[in-house]
Amino acid sequence: MAEWVWEAKGRNGEVKKGTMEAESAESVQSRLRAQQLNPTKVKKKPKEFNGTQERWTTWCFQFESFCGACDVKLADMMSQAATRVEPLPMPTDNQEKIMCRTLYHTLAMLVKEDSAAFTKMQTVERGNGCEAWRRFHVEWEPQ
């Protein structure tokens, strides 16, 4: 079974988010509807990154695709961060700050414990996902 990340609206229009293990996206949607939720997004959770050069290219592509499917602006921020040479401070704009924190916590959940990627995450200012993404690219992106 795969793990899925979902977003749905309740009867009163409130947005709910969560994760669920299921065989398919259709199964997740069915289970959410049974809970009287209207699914708006269902995405397969990316695999963990073990912090090796051999795994980077495939994992990076899948992770960027996942983030882009969740939020186009987040994908744009990630693209910009990946090309920067200088360290990136936390954004001052509230919406960008939220996206940056979302990226940080998503990365933190997807790096294998006791790996080089996990160690790298621990060196980044808590919540600064753009800087973490930049450092991942500096470390593992082929030159």
Side-chain angles (χ1 to χ4, degrees):
M1 260 195 243
E3 189 169 357
W4 301 82
V5 179
W6 59 266
E7 184 175 295
K9 288 189 178 179
R11 285 190 203 176
N12 299 329
E14 72 277 12
V15 175
K16 299 191 178 218
K17 298 178 181 184
T19 61
M20 182 183 301
E21 284 191 12
E23 292 293 333
S24 66
E26 293 77 22
S27 177
V28 173
Q29 292 169 341
S30 243
R31 289 165 63 185
L32 290 171
R33 286 189 192 102
Q35 297 173 37
Q36 309 232 337
L37 295 171
N38 182 26
T40 54
K41 293 181 184 177
V42 177
K43 309 288 179 218
K44 191 173 183 180
K45 185 177 173 182
K47 295 179 181 175
E48 279 187 330
F49 178 52
N50 63 5
T52 64
Q53 187 68 52
E54 299 79 34
R55 186 85 179 94
W56 169 254
T57 303
T58 300
W59 183 84
C60 178
F61 175 77
Q62 291 173 334
F63 183 71
E64 286 175 337
S65 296
F66 173 79
C67 290
C70 292
D71 191 321
V72 174
K73 290 180 184 176
L74 176 58
D76 290 343
M77 283 180 69
M78 290 170 66
S79 293
Q80 291 173 9
T83 61
R84 295 285 299 269
V85 176
E86 296 297 318
L88 294 166
M90 274 294 278
T92 54
D93 175 78
N94 274 345
Q95 187 62 31
E96 288 182 1
K97 196 179 288 187
I98 289 168
M99 287 189 289
C100 199
R101 286 186 178 134
T102 299
L103 176 59
Y104 177 89
H105 293 293
T106 304
L107 283 169
M109 289 186 297
L110 292 175
V111 294
K112 188 169 176 64
E113 194 174 341
D114 299 325
S115 70
F118 188 81
T119 302
K120 189 153 297 285
M121 281 300 299
Q122 293 177 313
T123 67
V124 176
E125 174 189 4
R126 189 168 183 82
N128 194 343
C130 292
E131 175 59 12
W133 191 241
R134 184 194 75 80
R135 289 187 192 184
F136 276 34
H137 275 266
V138 167
E139 182 73 24
W140 290 292
E141 189 65 29
Q143 300 301 322

